[in-house]
Amino acid sequence: MSSVEPAGAFRLGDRLVRRLGYGAMRLSGPGIFGPPSDPKTAVAVLREAVSSGVNHIDTSDYYGPHITNQLIREALHPYPDDLVIVTKIGARRGEDASWLAASSPAELKQAVHDNLRNLSLDVVDVVNLRNMLGTEASIEPPLTALADLQRQGLVRHIGLSNVTPAQIAEGRRICKIVCVQNQYNVAYRHDDALIDCLAGDRIAYVPFFPLGGFTPLQSSTLSDVADSLGATPMQVALAWLLRRAPHILLIPGTSSLAHLRENLAAAELNVPDEVRHRLDGLTSQVAS
Ligand SMILES: NC(=O)c1ccc[n+]([C@@H]2O[C@H](COP(=O)([O-])OP(=O)(O)OC[C@H]3O[C@@H](n4cnc5c(N)ncnc54)[C@H](OP(=O)(O)O)[C@@H]3O)[C@@H](O)[C@H]2O)c1
């Protein structure tokens, strides 16, 4: 079993986490709604991630809803001391599996309590406020409500998700922000300048869809590079992110043990500079 230690570690809040973590969203059923067809494999994926050294798991109670958190509890509770579970609030699921905003103070409070109950925790390590209100919206009202829940001791640290630089600046005037979770991968690099900016403040950047999300990355350059390194395209995509900046924490998602092993082995993949520069040009060649 490979270990993620070679990927290194970075501080998330007051804890050091290994840079190769795991995103648990895919453990729910199709469309991230309802139970998975094979719950035993879901539990096995979580246990193998942790036994391989993963100590950063990303989740939300609106995955399933509730199902992903319940699987995490079943697989891992009582949790290892060094495990950091990061959740997100600000959305809810409609009965038709739609993703709806849920960012009133009452909804945010309910969401934190749902996470605590389904994960069997007294306090959540990190809660990301998932912005569902658009790029122009003020995040001040929901973030103020989340900061109140932090003051009540229910939340240790706060992060932001799906936000612009202006919204991050607004958020940092309200409370300490320890991480930003936005869409980013080797072929989708809208946040390049933001990533460089957050590095200076030692705020972790956690890209969602690191493998392309619902449209997994595909490109002949990625495949050629992977062949030349004796790796798979997904491993190269993850290794490129690890090389991109030391404050980037990875949370690739999978429901498969084989994919999990493949992804975690990216911790040991060396991407030489000339290969990295070739991949830097990928953004204009491929849609993610
Ligand atoms: N803040 C937000 O708004 C937000 C949004 C989306 C996601 N997230 C978080 O980010 C995490 C990562 O995002 P994600 O899971 O949506 O996308 P992702 O990690 O980019 O890709 C996951 C997809 O790639 C497939 N996959 C994984 N490893 C593979 C491999 N080695 N070879 C081929 N296919 C592979 C998975 O299918 P299999 O299951 O078949 O492996 C799944 O369909 C989520 O788990 C979630 O925690 C956050």
Side-chain angles (χ1 to χ4, degrees):
M1 199 181 297
S2 75
S3 158
V4 297
E5 272 183 47
F10 188 78
R11 191 158 293 281
L12 180 56
D14 56 355
R15 315 274 292 280
L16 206 57
V17 295
R18 301 207 173 92
R19 293 183 60 218
L20 226 170
Y22 172 70
M25 183 174 94
R26 303 280 160 182
L27 296 180
S28 297
I32 327 296
F33 203 70
S37 57
D38 182 0
K40 281 200 176 113
T41 297
V43 166
V45 165
L46 285 159
R47 289 186 178 151
E48 183 154 330
V50 168
S51 64
S52 303
V54 165
N55 61 4
H56 170 207
I57 293 181
D58 187 80
T59 185
S60 175
D61 206 64
Y62 56 70
Y63 296 157
H66 314 305
I67 307 259
T68 292
N69 278 350
Q70 290 165 354
L71 286 165
I72 291 173
R73 181 183 64 198
E74 180 188 341
L76 302 174
H77 193 273
Y79 302 113
D81 287 344
D82 70 340
L83 181 65
V84 175
I85 298 179
V86 178
T87 193
K88 63 190 83 62
I89 61 174
R92 67 179 174 87
R93 307 303 295 279
E95 291 193 356
D96 58 352
S98 51
W99 303 79
L100 305 167
S103 48
S104 71
E107 287 170 315
L108 296 175
K109 182 176 176 188
Q110 178 68 48
V112 167
H113 282 286
D114 286 346
N115 277 282
L116 291 171
R117 186 181 66 258
N118 286 314
L119 289 166
S120 269
L121 289 169
D122 296 325
V123 52
V124 192
D125 284 317
V126 183
V127 176
N128 284 319
L129 176 67
R130 206 301 182 179
N131 173 35
M132 299 285 289
L133 306 175
T135 54
E136 301 303 320
S138 166
I139 60 167
E140 195 252 329
L143 191 59
T144 302
L146 177 53
D148 277 345
L149 297 168
Q150 183 182 39
R151 273 189 289 277
Q152 290 167 32
L154 303 175
V155 172
R156 208 163 269 132
H157 299 287
I158 293 177
L160 296 172
S161 176
N162 212 38
V163 281
T164 63
Q167 287 167 327
I168 295 168
E170 182 188 30
R172 293 183 71 192
R173 289 192 289 273
I174 297 167
C175 62
K176 182 174 178 189
I177 302 298
V178 300
C179 55
V180 170
Q181 187 175 121
N182 278 358
Q183 182 176 353
Y184 183 82
N185 60 49
V186 65
Y188 181 87
R189 302 229 292 276
H190 186 69
D191 269 355
D192 267 331
L194 173 64
I195 288 171
D196 296 340
C197 185
L198 295 177
D201 296 319
R202 301 200 57 76
I203 295 175
Y205 183 86
V206 188
F208 73 78
F209 295 166
L211 302 174
F214 291 97
T215 317
L217 294 168
Q218 270 188 314
S219 110
S220 53
T221 306
L222 204 53
S223 299
D224 289 351
V225 164
D227 283 349
S228 73
L229 297 176
T232 68
M234 294 312 193
Q235 288 174 326
V236 172
L238 295 174
W240 181 88
L241 283 167
L242 288 172
R243 283 291 305 273
R244 169 67 180 79
H247 65 302
I248 291 186
L249 300 177
L250 302 191
I251 49 164
T254 181
S255 55
S256 136
L257 273 170
H259 286 167
L260 176 78
R261 289 170 190 152
E262 179 182 328
N263 297 345
L264 299 187
E268 295 176 270
L269 181 63
N270 179 33
V271 180
D273 280 344
E274 65 275 15
V275 172
R276 188 161 60 93
H277 295 321
R278 195 172 161 208
L279 292 170
D280 285 345
L282 202 64
T283 184
S284 52
Q285 298 168 25
V286 71
S288 72

Coordinates of all heavy atoms in Angstrom, one line a residue, residues 23-26 58-59 63 88 130 161 181 208-213 216 234 251-256 259 262-263, ligand 1:
G23 N -11.4 13.5 -1.1 CA -12.7 14.1 -1.2 C -13.8 13.1 -1.2 O -13.8 12.2 -2.0
A24 N -14.7 13.1 -0.2 CA -15.7 12.0 0.0 C -17.0 12.2 -0.8 O -17.9 11.3 -0.6 CB -16.0 11.9 1.5
M25 N -17.1 13.2 -1.6 CA -18.4 13.5 -2.3 C -18.9 12.3 -3.1 O -20.1 12.0 -3.1 CB -18.2 14.7 -3.2 CG -19.5 15.1 -3.8 SD -19.3 16.7 -4.8 CE -18.9 16.1 -6.4
R26 N -18.0 11.6 -3.7 CA -18.4 10.5 -4.6 C -18.9 9.3 -3.9 O -19.3 8.3 -4.6 CB -17.2 10.1 -5.5 CG -16.6 11.2 -6.3 CD -17.4 11.5 -7.5 NE -17.1 12.9 -8.0 CZ -17.7 13.4 -9.1 NH1 -18.6 12.7 -9.8 NH2 -17.4 14.6 -9.4
D58 N -12.4 15.7 3.0 CA -13.4 16.8 2.7 C -14.8 16.2 2.5 O -14.9 15.1 1.8 CB -13.0 17.5 1.4 CG -13.9 18.7 1.1 OD1 -13.6 19.8 1.8 OD2 -14.9 18.6 0.3
T59 N -15.8 16.8 3.1 CA -17.1 16.2 3.0 C -18.2 17.4 3.0 O -17.8 18.6 3.1 CB -17.4 15.2 4.1 OG1 -18.7 14.6 4.0 CG2 -17.3 15.9 5.5
Y63 N -24.1 16.0 0.9 CA -23.8 14.9 0.0 C -24.7 13.7 0.4 O -24.4 13.2 1.5 CB -22.3 14.5 0.0 CG -21.4 15.6 -0.4 CD1 -20.0 15.6 0.0 CD2 -21.8 16.6 -1.3 CE1 -19.2 16.6 -0.5 CE2 -20.9 17.6 -1.8 CZ -19.6 17.6 -1.3 OH -18.8 18.6 -1.8
K88 N -18.7 21.5 4.5 CA -19.1 22.8 3.9 C -20.6 22.9 4.1 O -21.3 21.9 4.2 CB -18.7 22.9 2.5 CG -19.3 21.9 1.5 CD -18.6 22.0 0.2 CE -17.3 21.2 0.1 NZ -17.4 19.7 0.3
R130 N -20.0 27.6 1.7 CA -20.0 27.4 0.3 C -21.0 28.5 -0.3 O -22.2 28.5 -0.1 CB -20.6 26.0 0.0 CG -20.2 25.4 -1.3 CD -20.6 26.1 -2.6 NE -20.3 25.4 -3.8 CZ -20.5 25.8 -5.0 NH1 -21.1 27.0 -5.2 NH2 -20.2 25.1 -6.1
S161 N -15.7 28.8 0.1 CA -15.7 28.0 -1.1 C -16.5 28.7 -2.2 O -17.6 29.3 -1.9 CB -16.3 26.6 -0.9 OG -16.4 25.9 -2.1
Q181 N -11.6 27.0 -1.1 CA -11.9 25.8 -1.9 C -12.6 26.3 -3.2 O -13.8 26.6 -3.1 CB -12.7 24.8 -1.1 CG -12.9 23.5 -1.9 CD -13.5 22.4 -1.0 OE1 -14.6 21.9 -1.4 NE2 -13.0 22.1 0.1
F208 N -11.3 22.1 -5.9 CA -12.2 21.0 -6.2 C -12.2 20.8 -7.7 O -11.7 21.6 -8.4 CB -13.6 21.3 -5.5 CG -14.5 22.4 -6.2 CD1 -15.2 22.1 -7.4 CD2 -14.7 23.6 -5.6 CE1 -16.0 23.0 -7.9 CE2 -15.5 24.6 -6.1 CZ -16.2 24.3 -7.3
F209 N -12.6 19.6 -8.0 CA -12.5 19.0 -9.4 C -11.0 18.9 -9.8 O -10.7 19.3 -10.9 CB -13.3 19.8 -10.4 CG -14.8 19.8 -10.2 CD1 -15.6 20.7 -10.9 CD2 -15.4 18.9 -9.4 CE1 -17.0 20.7 -10.7 CE2 -16.8 18.9 -9.2 CZ -17.6 19.8 -9.9
P210 N -10.1 18.4 -9.0 CA -8.7 18.3 -9.4 C -8.5 17.4 -10.5 O -7.5 17.5 -11.2 CB -8.0 17.8 -8.1 CG -9.1 17.1 -7.3 CD -10.4 17.9 -7.6
L211 N -9.5 16.5 -10.7 CA -9.3 15.5 -11.9 C -10.4 15.9 -13.0 O -10.6 15.1 -13.9 CB -9.6 14.1 -11.4 CG -8.6 13.6 -10.3 CD1 -9.0 12.3 -9.8 CD2 -7.2 13.6 -10.8
G212 N -11.0 17.1 -12.8 CA -12.0 17.5 -13.9 C -13.4 17.3 -13.4 O -14.3 17.7 -14.1
G213 N -13.6 16.7 -12.2 CA -14.9 16.5 -11.6 C -15.9 15.7 -12.5 O -15.5 14.5 -12.8
P216 N -14.2 14.1 -16.3 CA -12.7 13.8 -16.0 C -11.8 14.3 -17.2 O -12.1 14.3 -18.3 CB -12.7 12.3 -15.9 CG -14.1 12.0 -15.4 CD -15.0 13.0 -16.1
M234 N -4.3 10.7 -14.7 CA -4.8 11.3 -13.4 C -3.7 11.5 -12.4 O -3.7 12.5 -11.6 CB -5.9 10.4 -12.8 CG -7.1 10.3 -13.7 SD -7.7 11.9 -14.2 CE -9.4 11.5 -14.8
I251 N -7.8 17.0 -2.7 CA -8.9 16.2 -2.2 C -9.5 15.5 -3.4 O -10.7 15.6 -3.6 CB -9.9 17.0 -1.4 CG1 -10.3 18.3 -2.2 CG2 -9.4 17.4 0.0 CD1 -11.6 18.9 -1.7
P252 N -8.8 14.7 -4.2 CA -9.4 14.0 -5.3 C -10.5 13.0 -4.8 O -10.3 12.4 -3.7 CB -8.2 13.2 -5.9 CG -7.2 13.1 -4.8 CD -7.3 14.3 -4.0
G253 N -11.6 12.9 -5.5 CA -12.7 12.1 -5.1 C -12.7 10.8 -5.9 O -12.5 10.8 -7.1
T254 N -13.1 9.8 -5.3 CA -13.4 8.5 -6.0 C -14.2 7.6 -5.1 O -14.1 7.7 -3.9 CB -12.0 7.8 -6.4 OG1 -12.4 6.6 -7.1 CG2 -11.2 7.4 -5.2
S255 N -14.9 6.7 -5.8 CA -15.7 5.7 -5.1 C -15.0 4.3 -5.3 O -15.6 3.3 -4.9 CB -17.1 5.7 -5.6 OG -17.1 5.5 -7.0
S256 N -13.9 4.3 -5.9 CA -13.2 3.1 -6.3 C -11.9 2.8 -5.6 O -11.1 3.8 -5.5 CB -13.1 3.1 -7.8 OG -11.8 2.6 -8.2
H259 N -9.0 3.3 -8.1 CA -8.7 4.7 -8.4 C -8.0 5.4 -7.2 O -7.1 6.2 -7.3 CB -10.0 5.5 -8.8 CG -10.4 5.1 -10.2 ND1 -11.6 5.5 -10.7 CD2 -9.8 4.5 -11.2 CE1 -11.8 5.1 -11.9 NE2 -10.6 4.5 -12.3
E262 N -4.4 4.4 -7.2 CA -3.8 5.2 -8.3 C -3.5 6.6 -7.9 O -2.4 7.2 -8.0 CB -4.7 5.1 -9.5 CG -4.1 5.8 -10.7 CD -5.1 5.7 -11.9 OE1 -5.8 4.7 -12.0 OE2 -5.1 6.6 -12.7
N263 N -4.6 7.2 -7.3 CA -4.5 8.7 -7.0 C -3.4 8.9 -5.9 O -2.6 9.9 -5.9 CB -5.8 9.2 -6.6 CG -6.8 9.2 -7.7 OD1 -6.4 9.0 -8.9 ND2 -8.1 9.3 -7.4
Ligands
LIG1 N1 -16.7 23.3 -2.7 C1 -17.4 22.8 -3.7 O1 -18.3 23.5 -4.3 C2 -17.1 21.4 -4.2 C3 -17.6 21.0 -5.5 C4 -17.3 19.7 -5.9 C5 -16.5 18.9 -5.2 N2 -16.0 19.3 -4.0 C6 -15.1 18.5 -3.2 O2 -14.0 18.2 -4.0 C7 -13.7 16.8 -4.0 C8 -13.1 16.4 -5.4 O3 -14.0 16.7 -6.4 P1 -14.8 15.6 -7.3 O4 -14.8 14.3 -6.6 O5 -16.1 16.2 -7.7 O6 -13.9 15.6 -8.6 P2 -12.5 15.0 -9.0 O7 -11.7 14.6 -7.8 O8 -11.9 16.0 -10.0 O9 -12.9 13.7 -9.9 C9 -13.7 12.7 -9.4 C10 -14.2 11.9 -10.6 O10 -13.0 11.3 -11.3 C11 -13.1 9.9 -11.2 N3 -11.8 9.4 -10.9 C12 -11.2 9.5 -9.7 N4 -9.9 9.0 -9.7 C13 -9.8 8.5 -11.0 C14 -8.8 7.8 -11.6 N5 -7.6 7.5 -11.0 N6 -9.0 7.4 -12.9 C15 -10.1 7.7 -13.6 N7 -11.2 8.4 -13.0 C16 -11.0 8.8 -11.7 C17 -14.2 9.6 -10.2 O11 -14.9 8.4 -10.5 P3 -14.8 7.1 -9.7 O12 -15.6 7.3 -8.5 O13 -15.3 6.0 -10.6 O14 -13.3 6.9 -9.4 C18 -15.1 10.8 -10.3 O15 -16.0 10.6 -11.3 C19 -15.1 16.2 -3.8 O16 -15.0 14.8 -3.3 C20 -15.7 17.1 -2.8 O17 -15.3 16.7 -1.5 C21 -16.3 20.6 -3.5

